[in-house]
Amino acid sequence: MLSQLNERMQKWGFSWVGLRDNRHGEWWVLAQMILIAAHWLPPTPPPSGLGIHWPLALRLIGGLTFLIGLVIGAQGALNLGDSLSPLPEPMPGAPLVTEGAYGRCRHPLYQSLLLCSLGVTLALGSLLHLGLLLALATVLSLKARREEQRLCSMHSDYAHYMTSTPAIVPFLPGLDWR
């Protein structure tokens, strides 16, 4: 199992050298992983600490938003198949995918992560998690821009796809740069 993980990471382009010099965007992945892991932190401050009773409706909406994020992420991962990589460096020879989840936005996996983060934020009513959501949105936006530079050089029709399809969240400044 460990050898399979090592083989997959090498296929993606991960290396110890890359972790030192960010040659394939490894630092973006590390930042993303740290922010995702930080969502396990307890709500800070808790709504009750601010004298607020966090409504059950918001908790349920948060849970539903989280589940929708998981579904979108699963669809995006399935659409990419063997081309899936956590790095912003596209897999060599990977075809351009514009169908399924990629027909709705260019980065549905990033959209998925933001929806999951929003779901946690709504479910917990935490200012800390709101900050994590905003930080994650910033990291994913910058990571997507780096990825798109490489996609444009790999696929001649990517520029057209960029003009016709939202980036991460349609019509939201910073997350849609059509």
Side-chain angles (χ1 to χ4, degrees):
M1 172 116 159
L2 192 56
S3 65
Q4 288 175 335
L5 177 61
N6 188 37
E7 181 181 312
R8 181 52 123 170
M9 290 182 70
Q10 286 178 351
K11 184 179 177 187
W12 285 334
F14 274 108
S15 68
W16 289 110
V17 174
L19 285 173
R20 285 194 301 268
D21 66 12
N22 196 36
R23 69 179 50 182
H24 297 294
E26 290 87 349
W27 297 350
W28 293 113
V29 176
L30 287 175
Q32 174 183 329
M33 290 171 58
I34 289 167
L35 289 168
I36 291 168
H39 280 75
W40 286 97
L41 292 170
T44 307
S48 60
L50 299 172
I52 300 170
H53 172 73
W54 200 246
L56 176 62
L58 283 177
R59 288 189 235 155
L60 293 174
I61 290 169
L64 181 60
T65 303
F66 185 86
L67 289 175
I68 290 169
L70 290 179
V71 169
I72 290 171
Q75 184 185 24
L78 288 172
N79 292 150
L80 276 182
D82 286 339
S83 299
L84 179 66
S85 170
L87 293 168
E89 185 76 22
M91 299 281 287
L96 178 59
V97 178
T98 60
E99 301 295 320
Y102 291 84
R104 291 188 303 274
C105 78
R106 298 190 309 268
H107 302 280
L109 296 175
Y110 299 165
Q111 184 183 67
S112 164
L113 291 172
L114 293 176
L115 283 170
C116 288
S117 178
L118 175 62
V120 170
T121 301
L122 289 173
L124 298 178
S126 165
L127 292 176
L128 168 67
H129 291 83
L130 176 60
L132 291 172
L133 169 62
L134 295 174
L136 186 60
T138 301
V139 165
L140 293 176
S141 174
L142 294 170
K143 182 181 174 193
R145 290 168 198 265
R146 175 181 171 146
E147 186 174 342
E148 289 191 335
Q149 289 174 346
R150 292 291 296 135
L151 286 165
C152 282
S153 67
M154 288 177 63
H155 300 285
S156 59
D157 46 349
Y158 195 81
H160 173 70
Y161 176 58
M162 284 177 68
T163 61
S164 62
T165 308
I168 301 173
V169 179
F171 308 111
L172 189 62
L175 294 174
D176 186 8
W177 51 90
R178 283 183 280 183

